[in-house]
Amino acid sequence: VQLQASGGGLVQPGDSLRLSCAASGFTLDYYSIGWFRQAPGKEREGVSCSRNNARSTYYADSVKGRFTISRDSAKNAVYLQMNSLQPEDTAVYYCAAAQSFTACSIAGPNGPDFGYWGQGTQVTVSS
């Protein structure tokens, strides 16, 4: 069972990136998926999540309207499309999977409920 996050990079303010989270050993459709980020010196933040019913999603206020989480069942992958990136979006981004339906709620992704984590991908937004 493995999650692989990718797609990070160095971009300028206003640019876009799409992060990918690919799974091996299990089917993501049956899991709630969360995207988290952690900036240096800051606590981990839940950015977005998608319940395993794929109809409920959550976005942190800081990214609402700019980020979009989506799934591709055929590729067994989840994506985080990030538009209008700002320097404060700079962080290591992690994807995580949870069997719990309630891991993703209107309160956001609950980190401790997520049992499977990817290795993280660095996103740097700088001019």
Side-chain angles (χ1 to χ4, degrees), residues 65-78:
R66 299 188 297 122
F67 290 12
T68 303
I69 190 170
S70 62
R71 296 176 181 255
D72 186 332
S73 298
K75 295 184 177 180
N76 201 28
V78 175

Side-chain angles (χ1 to χ4, degrees), residues 82-105:
M82 307 186 296
N83 298 329
S84 301
L85 284 162
Q86 300 300 317
E88 52 265 34
D89 296 316
T90 295
V92 178
Y93 284 71
Y94 300 88
C95 63
Q99 292 180 293
S100 168
F101 180 78
T102 58
C104 176
S105 71

